[in-house]
Amino acid sequence: MSTAISGPVKSHGNVKRVLTIDQTIVDAIVAHARRDHPDEACGVVAGPIGADLPTRLIPMDNAARSMTFYEFDSLEQLRVWREMDDNDEEPVVIYHSHTATEAYPSRTDVSFAGEPNAHYLLVSTREDDSEEIRSFRIVDGVVTEEEINIVDATVEV
Amino acid sequence: MAIEVRVPTILRSYTGGSKVVEGSGDTLTALIDDLDAKHSGLKGRLITPEGGLHRFVNIYVNDEDVRFLGALDAKLNDGDSITILPAVAGGALGFAAAAALLGPRPTAPATTPDSTEG
């Protein structure tokens, strides 16, 4: 007898520890990270409020233009956050790359993490021929890694 | 008249969950004091113990970053709209090293990096 399992069932408490994201969006994030290497790349994937599904990729400028630091330009951020507001969207994923170290949140990443509902996606481009892609929740300074469920052609929104 | 303040998710625990609150004051400092009187603790999330604007937040008056308007001394008028957003930043560099490298944030636009594209 098989039990029907619809979607990921792994959950701990009331935190759903999985990021479901479309392959095309992941590919675009990796391409952005490769393009900006050795500088860190950063951006947002917006999605409908409450749906926990990233649907609209918004690559952002790294105002710091640094190999070890990233920072959204504050005015670009205001414009993008307003646009999400107008579209009833929220930042579902906030991504950035580490270009010489592993894809794990640094102390700086944890200090700044200010979107408790977002998935923090990190891409490491330190290897030329492969990428390490990991996702985390960062709430009140606590880092929790989660699974990434990469899907093909999710719902058309 | 009042000044409308948009509060990000991470600070809504101070505003009883409200996304928009109202305050008054003719400078940003005065407004923050007024907000803190109604939403105790908010000030500590916006201003450092040394009395500067916290690096972890961006505050905007209408469409402008207050760091370009005199920071805490920014003048406010009735009907202005204030937006608070969490600054989005980070990176592989350790925080202490990043702080040393970047120094305190400028209160005026020294050199505005070109933002030809969004």
Side-chain angles (χ1 to χ4, degrees):
Chain A
M1 286 291 284
S2 64
T3 311
I5 296 173
S6 58
V9 292
K10 181 169 278 193
S11 69
H12 304 269
N14 54 6
V15 181
K16 192 165 58 167
R17 288 184 182 171
V18 64
L19 165 64
T20 297
I21 186 168
D22 197 281
Q23 181 75 57
T24 55
I25 295 175
V26 173
D27 291 348
I29 290 172
V30 168
H32 181 200
R34 284 284 172 211
R35 201 160 60 235
D36 286 10
H37 185 93
D39 284 351
E40 294 194 2
C42 56
V44 178
V45 193
I49 288 174
D52 198 29
L53 187 69
T55 53
R56 186 167 70 91
L57 176 73
I58 311 161
M60 303 283 286
D61 274 346
N62 177 0
R65 290 169 204 279
S66 161
M67 296 188 282
T68 50
F69 193 71
Y70 81 95
E71 181 175 35
F72 285 5
D73 174 82
S74 67
L75 296 181
E76 183 183 26
Q77 186 189 350
L78 178 65
R79 186 170 55 69
V80 167
W81 256 243
R82 279 193 180 153
E83 202 173 85
M84 286 192 282
D85 233 22
D86 292 343
N87 294 343
D88 292 321
E89 293 171 323
E90 60 187 347
V92 180
V93 170
I94 294 176
Y95 72 88
H96 75 281
S97 62
H98 285 175
T99 57
T101 55
E102 66 173 334
Y104 190 87
S106 67
R107 284 177 54 202
T108 317
D109 294 332
V110 176
S111 301
F112 273 95
E115 292 286 358
N117 297 330
H119 303 265
Y120 284 87
L121 188 77
L122 277 84
V123 179
S124 174
T125 53
R126 65 179 162 177
E127 304 290 345
D128 286 338
D129 51 357
S130 66
E131 295 84 23
E132 186 191 4
I133 305 167
R134 296 167 73 180
S135 183
F136 305 86
R137 295 286 190 166
I138 308 176
V139 180
D140 293 333
V142 178
V143 176
T144 309
E145 183 157 13
E146 58 186 4
E147 289 180 19
I148 303 179
N149 177 26
I150 298 179
V151 293
D152 276 316
T154 31
V155 286
E156 208 64 50
V157 178
Chain B
M1 275 275 282
I3 294 169
E4 178 189 276
V5 182
R6 303 182 76 82
V7 180
T9 308
I10 195 165
L11 297 181
R12 288 181 201 156
S13 54
Y14 296 95
T15 61
S18 294
K19 186 176 176 179
V20 179
V21 297
E22 288 194 341
S24 61
D26 53 9
T27 62
L28 183 58
T29 299
L31 174 71
I32 290 174
D33 283 337
D34 180 60
L35 291 175
D36 194 65
K38 300 169 189 158
H39 312 288
S40 181
L42 196 53
K43 184 176 180 174
R45 299 296 298 271
L46 305 176
I47 297 178
T48 64
E50 294 76 33
L53 208 50
H54 235 303
R55 204 178 141 65
F56 301 113
V57 291
N58 293 332
I59 303 180
Y60 306 88
V61 179
N62 303 317
D63 295 330
E64 189 58 273
D65 188 329
V66 295
R67 292 187 175 94
F68 302 153
L69 298 173
L72 289 165
D73 297 329
K75 296 275 182 285
L76 304 181
N77 295 299
D78 280 348
D80 277 344
S81 174
I82 306 293
T83 303
I84 306 171
L85 293 181
V88 182
L93 195 60
F95 185 62
L101 184 72
L102 295 162
R105 286 186 72 138
T107 52
T111 52
T112 309
D114 70 312
S115 51
T116 48
E117 250 198 324

